[in-house]
Amino acid sequence: MTGYYDYILGLIPLTLLGITGTLTVAGLQLTTAVPMAAGMAALLTGHALFVNGPSSPSSAHLDEHTGPNAADAPSPSVLDAD
């Protein structure tokens, strides 16, 4: 199942190549077209990170898929040797 981040990972190189090629064919120099395309790729990355950022799974979802954790176990009581 493809998700939002799969599309973003595919669009980054397509953006770099597609916009660079389009601007070069349109008459801009390569040294101008590459930074402009990189700026668009950076905007895509920024959107994926900050606008539609990855969220941590809920605790109910974690409990459902993970087993008992040693950090969650109660601490052993101290036994006296007396």
Side-chain angles (χ1 to χ4, degrees):
M1 178 192 323
T2 57
Y4 172 75
Y5 295 104
D6 296 323
Y7 290 124
I8 290 295
L9 286 174
L11 281 174
I12 291 170
L14 288 176
T15 300
L16 283 170
L17 296 174
I19 292 177
T20 299
T22 302
L23 291 175
T24 304
V25 169
L28 267 76
Q29 292 183 351
L30 189 63
T31 57
T32 305
V34 170
M36 293 176 83
M40 289 302 296
L43 286 174
L44 280 173
T45 305
H47 187 274
L49 286 174
F50 301 113
V51 176
N52 193 9
S55 60
S56 62
S58 66
S59 61
H61 183 70
L62 282 176
D63 293 340
E64 181 180 308
H65 294 291
T66 58
N69 190 357
D72 295 334
S75 61
S77 59
V78 178
L79 297 176
D80 267 340
D82 293 330

